[in-house]
Amino acid sequence: EQILFIFLAAISGIGAVFLIAILSMWNYERMPEIGVLLSLGLKKKIIVLQLLLENSILFLTGFLMAVPLTLLCSLLIGNLGSIEHIALSLGDIFIAGIAVWILCGFSALLSLIRIMKKSPSEIVTTIM
């Protein structure tokens, strides 16, 4: 169990780093949109909330597609390996989903720090 926990923690850490990198690149590509929204007078808080909402919707869509696949794979692995105690409960999956959703939100916020420190004029001159 300790080896599996260490393996899971390492994979989760690597996944978090990749998630932050991907969200940073995605948000950097959206600089023109952010610059236009800021120049139209939207507050940075509103833009950050919009990006968090978009990330949450994408996460929820992926999570809802992954849950049946996870349950099926755990059953297959349990049957193939003659392991009796590998069944996942929906409560465990729900808790994992909430934890990863929080990680996604935190990653999105980290990826936006560099962009939101700039003024609207700096963002507009950066994209031109």
Side-chain angles (χ1 to χ4, degrees), residues 9-21:
I11 295 296
S12 298
I14 293 168
V17 169
F18 278 118
L19 182 64
I20 291 170

Side-chain angles (χ1 to χ4, degrees), residues 64-86:
L64 291 177
M65 292 188 321
V67 167
L69 183 63
T70 302
L71 291 172
L72 178 67
C73 288
S74 72
L75 287 174
L76 287 174
I77 291 171
N79 289 337
L80 290 175
S82 299
I83 303 171
E84 298 173 8
H85 304 296
I86 197 165

Side-chain angles (χ1 to χ4, degrees), residues 57-69:
I57 290 170
L58 289 173
F59 166 75
L60 184 61
T61 303
F63 182 72
L64 291 177
M65 292 188 321
V67 167
L69 183 63

Side-chain angles (χ1 to χ4, degrees), residues 48-114:
V48 169
L49 289 175
Q50 174 191 345
L51 294 172
L52 286 175
L53 177 66
E54 291 172 3
N55 287 333
S56 294
I57 290 170
L58 289 173
F59 166 75
L60 184 61
T61 303
F63 182 72
L64 291 177
M65 292 188 321
V67 167
L69 183 63
T70 302
L71 291 172
L72 178 67
C73 288
S74 72
L75 287 174
L76 287 174
I77 291 171
N79 289 337
L80 290 175
S82 299
I83 303 171
E84 298 173 8
H85 304 296
I86 197 165
L88 293 173
S89 70
L90 288 178
D92 292 340
I93 294 173
F94 182 72
I95 290 170
I98 289 174
V100 175
W101 177 65
I102 291 169
L103 177 67
C104 282
F106 184 69
S107 300
L109 289 174
L110 281 178
S111 69
L112 286 170
I113 288 174
R114 182 177 53 142

Side-chain angles (χ1 to χ4, degrees), residues 31-42 44 47 114-128:
M31 287 254 299
E33 175 188 350
I34 293 170
V36 168
L37 291 173
L38 285 172
S39 66
L40 289 174
L42 265 71
K44 290 181 179 182
I47 296 170
R114 182 177 53 142
I115 296 171
M116 291 302 162
K117 283 185 177 180
K118 297 181 178 184
S119 68
S121 60
E122 289 176 327
I123 292 175
V124 171
T125 56
T126 303
I127 60 175
M128 292 188 170

